[in-house]
Amino acid sequence: MNEFALYFGLGKDHILDYVNGYDHILFVLALCAVYIIGDWRKILILVTAFTIGHSITLALATLNLINVPTDAIEFLIPLTIFITAVANLFKKEGVDSKAKIQINYIFALFFGLIHGLGFSNYLRALLGKQENIVSPLFAFNLGLEFGQIIVVAIFLAISFILIELVKVPRRDFRFVLSSAIAGIALVLMKDRIFW
């Protein structure tokens, strides 16, 4: 197996590992909770914004250009999940559907910066003292993006079944999903308090 395929697979598996990567999956679900299958373009922009955000800090931290205490990052990750999920609870239907830049895009990009720091120790350990990290870093980020798209595809399929076929009101679906994610994030924050 070549190096690109190895790091691509590691990135994909890191996202799809529901035992160790569940916080990342929760964040992606919180970002997507306000959308339905017809919004797939918006979701693609959202996921890409998140990938760009975490790619920036992942690269900077892997190169040892920034260093943030792991305990702080481990607390901030569920905080980003909580903020995103709670924001969904107050979002009105269609208010920003015409806006070119939606608040969720800003959440995705900015909070992606924090999530990237969470990946940095993992990737730094994988790379060791390797001199050329550009190709592995690029492959890893593409794998992360691919894994996120799989999570989004599953989410869209489930939301389509519940909203379009079972006729669960969209508002109720968003409220229940976002409330559950916010509750889980609160527990994670409590467990990760570092002060």
Side-chain angles (χ1 to χ4, degrees), residues 66-111:
I66 58 172
N67 189 11
V68 179
T70 304
D71 291 347
I73 295 304
E74 289 302 314
F75 176 79
L76 289 173
I77 288 173
L79 179 62
T80 65
I81 298 166
F82 179 78
I83 291 169
T84 305
V86 168
N88 291 343
L89 299 175
F90 297 99
K91 189 175 181 88
K92 293 181 182 166
E93 296 293 326
V95 168
D96 66 354
S97 62
K98 302 279 190 244
K100 291 194 188 264
I101 307 262
Q102 297 181 4
I103 190 73
N104 270 10
Y105 296 168
I106 295 166
F107 279 162
L109 182 63
F110 180 71
F111 291 162

Side-chain angles (χ1 to χ4, degrees), residues 55-68 116-121 124:
S55 296
I56 291 167
T57 50
L58 182 58
L60 293 174
T62 303
L63 292 168
N64 289 316
L65 296 175
I66 58 172
N67 189 11
V68 179
L117 292 169
F119 288 128
S120 64
N121 289 335
R124 197 179 302 134

Side-chain angles (χ1 to χ4, degrees), residues 21-31 81 180-181 184-185 188:
Y22 65 92
D23 53 353
H24 190 83
I25 292 170
L26 285 174
F27 183 69
V28 171
L29 293 176
L31 286 173
I81 298 166
I181 292 170
I184 294 168
L188 291 173

Side-chain angles (χ1 to χ4, degrees), residues 7-191:
Y7 283 98
F8 180 89
L10 288 170
K12 174 184 65 74
D13 294 343
H14 196 63
I15 293 301
L16 298 178
D17 179 358
Y18 60 87
V19 173
N20 297 313
Y22 65 92
D23 53 353
H24 190 83
I25 292 170
L26 285 174
F27 183 69
V28 171
L29 293 176
L31 286 173
C32 295
V34 297
Y35 298 106
I36 57 174
I37 200 159
D39 298 322
W40 66 269
R41 286 181 190 91
K42 292 177 184 176
I43 294 172
L44 189 58
I45 292 168
L46 194 70
V47 170
T48 302
F50 182 63
T51 299
I52 290 168
H54 73 66
S55 296
I56 291 167
T57 50
L58 182 58
L60 293 174
T62 303
L63 292 168
N64 289 316
L65 296 175
I66 58 172
N67 189 11
V68 179
T70 304
D71 291 347
I73 295 304
E74 289 302 314
F75 176 79
L76 289 173
I77 288 173
L79 179 62
T80 65
I81 298 166
F82 179 78
I83 291 169
T84 305
V86 168
N88 291 343
L89 299 175
F90 297 99
K91 189 175 181 88
K92 293 181 182 166
E93 296 293 326
V95 168
D96 66 354
S97 62
K98 302 279 190 244
K100 291 194 188 264
I101 307 262
Q102 297 181 4
I103 190 73
N104 270 10
Y105 296 168
I106 295 166
F107 279 162
L109 182 63
F110 180 71
F111 291 162
L113 295 170
I114 294 169
H115 284 250
L117 292 169
F119 288 128
S120 64
N121 289 335
Y122 173 75
L123 190 59
R124 197 179 302 134
L126 287 174
L127 292 171
K129 297 190 186 292
Q130 191 169 328
E131 289 184 22
N132 178 16
I133 69 158
V134 174
S135 178
L137 195 58
F138 180 69
F140 187 80
N141 280 311
L142 279 181
L144 289 173
E145 178 84 350
F146 183 72
Q148 290 173 158
I149 289 171
I150 290 172
V151 170
V152 167
I154 293 168
F155 165 80
L156 287 176
I158 292 170
S159 69
F160 176 79
I161 291 167
L162 292 174
I163 294 170
E164 300 299 327
L165 302 179
V166 178
K167 301 297 183 193
V168 171
R170 183 176 175 182
R171 183 184 149 276
D172 294 351
F173 175 76
R174 182 189 77 224
F175 188 81
V176 169
L177 179 61
S178 297
S179 297
I181 292 170
I184 294 168
L186 272 177
V187 171
L188 291 173
M189 286 164 48
K190 180 189 80 63
D191 291 344

